[in-house]
Amino acid sequence: MKIAVLSRNPNLYSTRRLVEAGRERGHEVHVIDTLRAYMNIASHKPSIHYKGAELEPFDAVIPRIGASITFYGTAVLRQFEMMGVFPLNESVAISRSRDKLRSLQLLSRKGVGLPVTGFAHSPDDIPDLISMVGGAPLVIKLLEGTQGIGVVMCETEKAAESVLEAFMGLKANIMVQEYIREAGGADIRCLVVGDKVIAAMKRQARPGEFRSNLHHGGSASLIKITPEERMTAVRAAKVMGLNVAGVDILRSNHGPVVMEVNSSPGLQGIESTTGKDVAGLIISYIEKNARPNQTRTKGKG
Ligand code: ADP
């Protein structure tokens, strides 16, 4: 098969591994720099140009679109879809998963377990917002944050009020969430491919920290997940319409709750922690499922 990896940097671990795994299995794999692809969207025959020439047809495309280029990246992916190329994850599903509010609303509507969560922009009654989500302790998140930046834990309602006031002053979108203390500073990353969790790891925050992000000194280890956690992760990916997803789960005393569904999960941490050939399993998913003109939305979404 001829496979394109849409990625800004061929040297990133995940990109390298996908290219390597594809070539090992006898496929022709090319890395296409997302921002350098250009297209004539008004043409009757959709095509993509790259480095001065029209791209030859591909059988499948693996999108690795960074959060900062979601808008242009999903447009390039949509063009591949209009050309009938099989996308590992569809453009609409990626856009959906990048919108945290939309994602949580969708997951909630489909009955996937979530922490009690409120959204706000400029609430005129902060105490009411706080009591709506069950009072302190609370986690307050800036929607635009990544890697745990802009995630604050407030032990008391007074602290929560001050933080909310400060964030409101920044005119930011805010998420207010029940603090899952019983998770003990750990979360579980489940790597879903198709309808299976093919690898899972636990990320544990360092002592004195509640955020388990590796950037904040968290450490990763192997974990055996329960059938309920497995089902929750697979359902979450399915609700989002993602074939491949990194689903982050917290163990709460009301069952597994989903924090986030990531459409371009990093492969380095999960492969080194579990010793699994995640890239190889992704390629084999493509081998089994890639058919031309099978995009459900055909680039319409
Ligand atoms: P980011 O997407 O920026 O990484 P997250 O929402 O994943 O932000 O939060 C960062 C970390 O904080 C999570 O990995 C988790 O360990 C911890 N955390 C986030 N929300 C909660 C919560 N409601 N209860 C307990 N811990 C949480």
Side-chain angles (χ1 to χ4, degrees):
M1 280 203 299
K2 206 169 146 194
I3 302 173
V5 180
L6 265 186
S7 166
R8 291 240 57 209
N9 183 353
N11 301 317
L12 292 175
Y13 178 90
S14 303
T15 307
R16 269 197 293 115
R17 284 285 300 124
L18 288 162
V19 170
E20 204 175 271
R23 289 184 183 153
E24 264 169 23
R25 282 163 178 71
H27 303 297
E28 186 183 330
V29 188
H30 296 267
V31 177
I32 308 284
D33 181 341
T34 320
L35 293 186
R36 293 197 164 182
Y38 50 103
M39 24 216 181
N40 175 355
I41 53 162
S43 156
H44 289 300
K45 186 180 157 289
S47 65
I48 297 175
H49 281 239
Y50 190 63
K51 295 186 176 169
E54 187 175 328
L55 279 182
E56 297 287 323
F58 280 92
D59 300 299
V61 53
I62 303 180
R64 300 285 315 174
I65 298 168
S68 62
I69 63 156
T70 301
F71 196 62
Y72 191 74
T74 49
V76 176
L77 181 59
R78 206 151 44 232
Q79 190 78 358
F80 273 101
E81 291 167 359
M82 286 164 72
M83 292 159 65
V85 182
F86 173 83
L88 179 64
N89 279 330
E90 288 189 23
S91 55
V92 270
I94 295 173
S95 308
R96 194 184 284 139
S97 73
R98 292 284 159 89
D99 181 336
K100 280 196 194 180
L101 302 189
R102 188 175 170 196
S103 302
L104 292 183
Q105 285 171 323
L106 265 172
L107 293 167
S108 154
R109 199 176 65 186
K110 298 285 181 179
V112 175
L114 299 174
V116 177
T117 304
F119 304 148
H121 186 280
S122 311
D124 47 22
D125 190 337
I126 290 180
D128 185 48
L129 170 65
I130 292 174
S131 70
M132 188 180 83
V133 291
L138 281 175
V139 176
I140 300 173
K141 301 181 185 184
L142 277 177
L143 238 54
E144 289 75 19
T146 55
Q147 298 175 346
I149 296 163
V151 179
V152 185
M153 205 259 283
C154 301
E155 286 280 6
T156 66
E157 268 151 52
K158 273 281 151 258
E161 276 180 32
S162 314
V163 171
L164 282 168
E165 272 168 20
F167 280 178
M168 271 174 61
L170 298 173
K171 306 211 180 309
N173 291 302
I174 313 160
M175 199 154 88
V176 189
Q177 207 161 59
E178 144 196 35
Y179 173 51
I180 311 288
R181 193 186 292 280
E182 60 275 21
D187 73 352
I188 302 171
R189 160 56 63 97
C190 298
L191 212 297
V192 177
V193 176
D195 54 6
K196 288 195 182 73
V197 174
I198 55 141
M201 67 175 171
K202 173 174 145 176
R203 292 177 301 200
Q204 178 71 52
R206 66 177 154 76
E209 170 64 69
F210 80 102
R211 293 166 300 179
S212 60
N213 305 67
L214 304 182
H215 297 86
H216 289 283
S219 57
S221 60
L222 262 180
I223 188 171
K224 197 166 156 38
I225 59 169
T226 65
E228 195 191 1
E229 287 161 351
R230 207 167 271 283
M231 212 177 69
T232 301
V234 170
R235 272 211 79 217
K238 200 170 184 64
V239 167
M240 300 308 298
L242 293 166
N243 298 318
V244 169
V247 181
D248 295 338
I249 284 179
L250 293 174
R251 281 184 170 164
S252 85
N253 54 21
H254 48 93
V257 291
V258 172
M259 245 185 342
E260 199 170 13
V261 183
N262 194 319
S263 60
S264 277
L267 303 188
Q268 187 160 22
I270 193 97
E271 284 198 336
S272 62
T273 305
T274 63
K276 295 246 169 79
D277 177 11
V278 174
L281 291 164
I282 289 175
I283 300 292
S284 95
Y285 176 85
I286 292 175
E287 288 165 355
K288 289 194 196 93
N289 293 280
R291 312 255 182 295
N293 298 305
Q294 281 297 296
T295 312
R296 271 162 294 186
T297 52
K298 303 250 176 9
K300 284 186 221 125

